[in-house]
Amino acid sequence: MALTKIQIVESIQSQTGFSKNNSLEIVENLLEIIKSTLASGEDVLISNFGKFCVREKKERRSRNPATGDEMMLAPRKVVTFKCSGKLKDKINE
Amino acid sequence: MNKLEIISVLKKEANISKAEAARVVQVFFDNMADALARGERVEVRGLCSFFVKEYEEYTGRNPRTGEKVSIRPKKLPFFKAGKELKERVDF
């Protein structure tokens, strides 16, 4: 079973007393804050959890594995996650 | 942007108190951490998903001295950016 947004919304509802719709709205607000921060190129650091980083990848040469054709990959930005030491310890307990 | 800054932006955006915003952020990330600690996957549409990868014991080397060291079995979370996040970061 995977943890999904709806279950997170339900625990926020039970731990804050906000209605379900209200909790969902607040979670959507939170997600939007995280996404727009990363979209602006800024990292998001959550202490005791980890860090979401925006990294720039340089242009590089690659091959299409199906056809073997060589092509250039354009420079791009990707999001990476660095797990905090606390979270790592918790997972390995 | 760190947790405290997120809390103060969320307070404004969602029109709730600072304590409420702090609670929401805490519950949100605690839920994800607890799920990963149980070995469960986490899926938040549009943002990201996480799964826990288990590594068996292996013999590694200390890159400085070249000495052999045995690395104990461990678990690590793996992150995958969601489609919307990916597209917005790399527009």
Side-chain angles (χ1 to χ4, degrees):
Chain A
M1 252 308 269
L3 178 80
T4 57
K5 192 175 2 182
I6 203 69
Q7 287 155 278
I8 299 177
V9 167
E10 280 163 5
S11 40
I12 286 172
Q13 179 190 5
S14 70
Q15 293 192 49
T16 59
F18 288 128
S19 72
K20 191 164 179 181
N21 275 336
N22 210 346
S23 303
L24 176 62
E25 225 170 278
I26 298 168
V27 167
E28 293 295 351
N29 277 323
L30 172 60
L31 294 176
E32 182 51 37
I33 294 166
I34 297 173
K35 285 185 275 196
S36 54
T37 304
L38 293 168
S40 76
E42 198 187 327
D43 295 348
V44 172
L45 173 70
I46 309 291
S47 50
N48 295 339
F49 188 78
K51 189 176 176 189
F52 300 90
C53 308
V54 181
R55 297 197 53 187
E56 307 219 9
K57 296 276 195 180
K58 286 195 192 123
E59 179 181 59
R60 68 182 168 90
R61 190 168 280 203
S62 78
R63 272 175 201 281
N64 177 335
T67 62
D69 289 345
E70 206 167 84
M71 54 187 193
M72 286 303 270
L73 282 181
R76 63 202 167 102
K77 286 187 192 163
V78 295
V79 182
T80 59
F81 176 76
K82 178 90 178 68
C83 174
S84 88
K86 282 250 177 73
L87 179 61
K88 203 200 268 180
D89 292 345
K90 189 172 173 158
I91 291 173
N92 282 287
E93 254 167 29
Chain B
M1 176 115 98
N2 62 29
K3 209 197 277 180
L4 282 175
E5 292 166 313
I6 292 177
I7 290 167
S8 83
V9 180
L10 182 62
K11 167 185 184 279
K12 245 187 284 161
E13 296 283 320
N15 213 356
I16 54 182
S17 76
K18 191 171 180 184
E20 287 166 336
R23 190 92 195 103
V24 168
V25 172
Q26 198 58 49
V27 173
F28 184 85
F29 288 103
D30 280 354
N31 257 268
M32 300 214 278
D34 290 343
L36 292 171
R38 292 191 300 267
E40 265 179 47
R41 277 177 64 87
V42 174
E43 276 181 37
V44 182
R45 246 338 102 78
L47 183 73
C48 64
S49 64
F50 288 99
F51 67 97
V52 178
K53 220 171 177 174
E54 292 197 38
Y55 290 86
E56 282 173 26
E57 180 172 350
Y58 63 91
T59 313
R61 273 178 194 278
N62 179 331
R64 196 170 330 183
T65 62
E67 245 173 277
K68 277 190 184 172
V69 279
S70 115
I71 311 284
R72 283 189 297 174
K74 63 183 171 188
K75 294 182 206 165
L76 285 176
F78 261 74
F79 165 85
K80 216 181 144 206
K83 189 161 182 271
E84 188 202 339
L85 179 62
K86 252 192 226 169
E87 288 170 356
R88 286 179 60 181
V89 168
D90 188 44
F91 43 87

